Amino acid sequence: MRIPSAIVTGMALALMLSACGSGGDSDSTSAPLRPPPKVASLGPFVGECGHVKDDEVRDLAGLPQVSQVFKNSTGCNWQSAGFGSASVTFASYRGSPIAREKAWVSTQGRNPQDIEVGGRKGFQALEPNGQVCDLAVQLDDDFFEWSMTFGVFGSTGNPCDRMRKLAELTVQRLG
């Protein structure tokens, strides 16, 4: 007697569970609760250090004694000799919104200005004292950024003009 009642109970339980999950009366054309995730389209390859060589950074940044301090898969940094000296940084951001970088730069007291480099949109932001510049260029869902600080001792000229020359080289050499 136990086996037939166990079978009947199991079948009843299976019917109840299948009825709960069927959603027979629900509207099958309703939209999903969340939109599908956006897949970022990769932009062109910016190359190691933005396809720019150490001597080009030295010449275009106007820093006669600059050497590369670090290089990794997303960026490079060059510094002049001495504590508090000038530095130049290149960074590449895959699938990251340039708007977030623009907002961060704004929180640092720099006023981003829309620019175009080689037909590509971006921004540059100069610190009010003229010592720091961030210049970013959009590449599909990616962007790259050149940054320069004159350091503690300062320098003459506009660092954004210098970063623009480096950005132009990077755009010209996109792979």
Side-chain angles (χ1 to χ4, degrees):
M1 218 40 207
R2 291 177 127 177
I3 292 180
S5 67
I7 292 173
V8 171
T9 304
M11 288 176 55
L13 184 59
L15 278 172
M16 268 186 4
L17 290 175
S18 66
C20 290
S22 72
D25 290 349
S26 68
D27 184 11
S28 62
T29 61
S30 65
L33 296 177
R34 293 185 198 171
K38 181 181 181 239
V39 177
S41 62
L42 297 179
F45 179 58
V46 295
E48 185 175 81
C49 300
H51 287 301
V52 176
K53 302 197 178 341
D54 294 352
D55 60 332
E56 293 171 320
V57 171
R58 199 174 298 119
D59 295 342
L60 295 175
L63 303 172
Q65 295 181 13
V66 68
S67 59
Q68 192 174 84
V69 176
F70 76 82
K71 173 176 35 175
N72 63 31
S73 62
T74 60
C76 300
N77 178 261
W78 297 263
Q79 299 221 333
S80 292
F83 175 75
S85 60
S87 69
V88 173
T89 302
F90 171 82
S92 173
Y93 299 90
R94 286 277 197 198
S96 183
I98 194 171
R100 181 172 46 210
E101 184 70 11
K102 192 174 187 180
W104 181 85
V105 165
S106 295
T107 66
Q108 302 306 304
R110 299 178 204 129
N111 183 19
Q113 305 296 312
D114 290 336
I115 61 166
E116 195 171 294
V117 176
R120 299 190 181 258
K121 295 184 184 295
F123 73 86
Q124 71 180 28
L126 182 63
E127 191 176 54
N129 68 11
Q131 298 296 303
V132 177
C133 176
D134 297 302
L135 190 145
V137 176
Q138 185 77 53
L139 303 172
D140 298 331
D141 287 333
D142 307 337
F143 73 94
F144 69 83
E145 181 176 36
W146 280 99
S147 299
M148 180 176 193
T149 178
F150 280 142
V152 175
F153 305 108
S155 186
T156 59
N158 182 335
C160 286
D161 293 341
R162 298 172 189 202
M163 294 303 91
R164 183 177 187 92
K165 291 176 185 175
L166 290 167
E168 288 170 351
L169 272 183
T170 299
V171 169
Q172 288 171 10
R173 296 172 179 172
L174 288 174

